[in-house]
Amino acid sequence: MPSVRRISHEFLERQGLTTIFGNPGSNELPFLADLPDTFRYVLGLHEGAVVGMADGYAQASGRPVLVNLHAASGSGNAMGALTNAVASRTPLVVVAGQQVRSAIGPEANLSNVDAPALMKPLVGWAAEPACAQDVPRALAQAVFEAQLQRRPTYLSVPYDDWAADAGENAPAVLDRQVGRAGVPGGEQGRRLAEAVAAAQRPALVLGGDIDSAGLFDDAVRLAERLGGPVWAAPSQFRLPFPNRHPLFQGVLPAGIEPVSRAFEGHDLVLVLGAPVFRYHEYLPGRYLPEGTRLIQVTEDASAAARAPMGEALVADPAAVIELLMKLLDAPQQPVGDYQPVPAPQSVEGPRLHPEEVFAALREEMPEDTAYVVESTSTNAAWWRQMDLRRAGSYYFPAAGGLGFGLPGAVGVAMAQPDRPVVGVIGDGSANYGITALWTAAQHRVPLTVLLLRNGTYGALRWFGGLLGVPDAPGLDIPGLDFTRIAEGYGVPAQHVTGVDELRAVLSERPDGPRLVQVDTALTTPS
Ligand code: TZD
Ligand code: CA
């Protein structure tokens, strides 16, 4: 009879989960024994970076990814990064090692006491199989739950289980395939199409799911058919629509009152692939203006259930877009020209204005560049200067937890080695996932980390003004030189002082990682 390990490896191989992001310890080594050559283990030096890289990789490849963490301490280190993976609906399958079964009760060192409970609020499913023979099936469930729920899952496996005999039924798991078809039925579909067709002034709100499901271009076709304004939902992790498209109104401000104000005059707001809504700043008001009907279409049943207002249909946005395109007989609207980009703002002296930096990106980087952005105070400057027209152009830490950006950029670049990738990272944000530089150097991941150094937690200064706390301590971060940090991790780096120099550097296409540090002037997020 094959071992639990053999069946588990084979299952993972058949499901295509052969790239493992991890940071192992003693409990995990028995799982890694006899790993077939078809597997690739991508070592990260801290679990936050491990999960950030896996998140970027899973998002850019569109596939579930295996993460290997060490017991409770490694899992704990990963939790902040997992909050982002939850919000970006990334199917990460976390497998953590556990002490041998007989040692968990007495709490031998490295026992993960009540392992599933440790991760429960974050993951969509967590378990420790009740016996070794259930490990392959439970591993399959972890993969399928992650795929179906689009949420990280967690499996804790006592390390003496891997060598155990799998039992005669274990191979049955190898042939399993699980899928979902979320096509709305005739009646539901017709009612939705009627509501959209009857709307005088419909508006579209698109979420990150649109881009992660590969519907970026379909959303453009639907919007042009409807002819109304399009917003990106607040606090989103991907860009679902070309940001200079004539119908695009920008990212909705993340407050109740400004969202409601934006919808003024619209009889229907159709929300596709987003929660309703991920507000951030508490700006109270009515959820919707008088006379506005909101219909949310999402695959995420929890997002449908927890919305505080409106109607919701749990369905695949792809199927709904297709159905609306078929049932709506409105002619294609003329759309006009793409919105022009304003001249970038600039500043005197040794620093660059972030808008000058982003203008240089827009002009020097190829059109299909993917950007992973974790630079909070430069948000407004970013959207003023960028012109992103391709699917998969933009990634952002979905739950606002810093530490995704730099590792996420490494993961995106590993998944798409032929596409240029730039991580736009603040001098504060960089520190939370800095060890990913080492992984990028070891794997020679083609990637530019553009490090924006303004010497402070810029966004928190702005928040201080908003919340009436102008004098909070702990907001400045002087004395960091990322060129030396990067070189210590094996990544070549340069400090750039002028726009022309920056443009020249960006126009090079290195075949490995590099870090480019620029000193920037302070701006506000909005
Ligand atoms: N810790 C974690 C894990 N996530 C956070 N979001 C914060 C702390 C709080 N925080 C923000 O929300 S923005 C920010 C912090 C510390 C400043 C980020 O600094 P930066 O960007 O240099 O990356 P800016 O452009 O200077 O704001
Ligand atoms: Ca900063």
Side-chain angles (χ1 to χ4, degrees), residues 374-378 400-402 426-429 432 454 456-460:
E374 197 170 271
S375 165
T376 43
S377 68
T378 54
L402 303 177
D427 53 351
S429 299
Y432 301 86
N454 61 9
T456 187
Y457 289 156
L460 297 189

Side-chain angles (χ1 to χ4, degrees), residues 25 66-67 180 210 349 410 515:
L66 199 74
V67 176
R180 180 209 284 274
I210 294 299
V410 176
L515 182 138

Side-chain angles (χ1 to χ4, degrees), residues 11 24 44 48 78 83 163 168 193 200 219 235 256 324 326 342 429 439 461 498 512:
F11 171 77
T83 64
E168 66 173 339
Q200 300 294 308
S235 317
I256 296 171
L324 290 177
K326 216 159 38 196
S429 299
T439 307
R461 286 167 163 260

